[in-house]
Amino acid sequence: MSYANFVQCQLAEAASEVADTIVLAPASAPFQLPPEDGGLLVLADSLGRPSQVEIIHYSARAGLSLTGVERAQEGTTGRDWPIGSYCYQALTAGQYARDASVGKFNPVDVTEDMVVRPLDFAQFKATGVALTITPQDFSEGQLLMIGNLTERLDHQVVLAKVNGQATDGHLVINKAMAVVTLKYVSADYGWSIL
């Protein structure tokens, strides 16, 4: 799901209530077209005082076409939209609830040694033994959140470098009931604790 500022345009072609592709007209400055990699959009009959709205999810934008469109999201009704109907990006209640509930992170219960991936929120919950997580498939700038939801002070994260300094192969989560966010900077620098 992608977000951009000033997303607003109009439909270049009419769209039936079941259309899974929607064709847009070029955006007029300062506005822009929706992001290419998908998201949520609002369709409306007016910008100032709409009498009809529909929230849609699209999987991609290729040129002026939204593809993989899922209609009637978040309790709205799918309807026929004429040429010139408005399409814009706005924060919706469902989107806010999803993003706020996990801070855009994917909660993962750590009850055994395991691999974690970008945007995981690894939550240590097992108290019987010290556990180890191994970050995998991280690119520069990607985040990992770790929560120690136990009283143990010996859970570990396999990391070669933290803040540019070599470790002994891991970082020990030595705070009980704590949450730490890590950002992968580069192979040379390693990880940064935020």
Side-chain angles (χ1 to χ4, degrees):
M1 180 110 31
S2 290
Y3 309 95
N5 291 322
F6 309 113
V7 171
Q8 181 180 301
C9 56
Q10 291 178 282
L11 301 190
E13 297 178 6
S16 73
E17 69 180 85
V18 296
D20 62 359
T21 298
I22 294 179
V23 180
L24 306 173
S28 299
F31 299 107
Q32 63 180 337
L33 291 170
E36 292 182 339
D37 51 352
L40 284 178
L41 297 170
V42 177
L43 300 178
D45 59 353
S46 166
L47 291 175
R49 293 180 177 252
S51 61
Q52 296 182 343
V53 294
E54 178 184 354
I55 297 172
I56 64 170
H57 176 269
Y58 69 103
S59 59
R61 178 179 62 81
L64 294 173
S65 295
L66 300 176
T67 60
V69 177
E70 298 172 25
R71 306 294 299 272
Q73 301 295 296
E74 298 187 31
T76 61
T77 301
R79 42 182 97 250
D80 294 333
W81 293 100
I83 294 172
S85 296
Y86 292 93
C87 176
Y88 59 91
Q89 191 171 53
L91 182 62
T92 66
Q95 191 175 11
Y96 178 78
R98 280 189 300 277
D99 290 350
S101 68
V102 294
K104 292 189 179 181
F105 285 84
N106 175 39
V108 176
D109 290 344
V110 180
T111 56
E112 61 186 8
D113 292 349
M114 64 185 298
V115 169
V116 291
R117 299 206 168 6
L119 289 180
D120 277 351
F121 178 10
Q123 302 174 58
F124 288 104
K125 291 187 172 182
T127 59
V129 296
L131 297 174
T132 301
I133 58 173
T134 304
Q136 189 174 19
D137 301 329
F138 280 80
S139 299
E140 292 180 5
Q142 290 184 313
L143 302 175
L144 169 65
M145 187 180 293
I146 302 165
N148 183 7
L149 307 179
T150 74
E151 297 293 328
R152 294 191 70 91
L153 305 178
D154 54 357
H155 294 302
Q156 299 181 15
V157 184
V158 175
L159 301 175
K161 289 184 178 180
V162 175
N163 295 334
Q165 303 296 312
T167 69
D168 59 357
H170 62 272
L171 173 71
V172 176
I173 306 299
N174 61 3
K175 291 187 177 178
M177 303 304 199
V179 175
V180 175
T181 303
L182 300 172
K183 178 180 180 180
Y184 182 71
V185 178
S186 68
D188 291 335
Y189 188 84
W191 294 79
S192 177
I193 301 174
L194 304 178

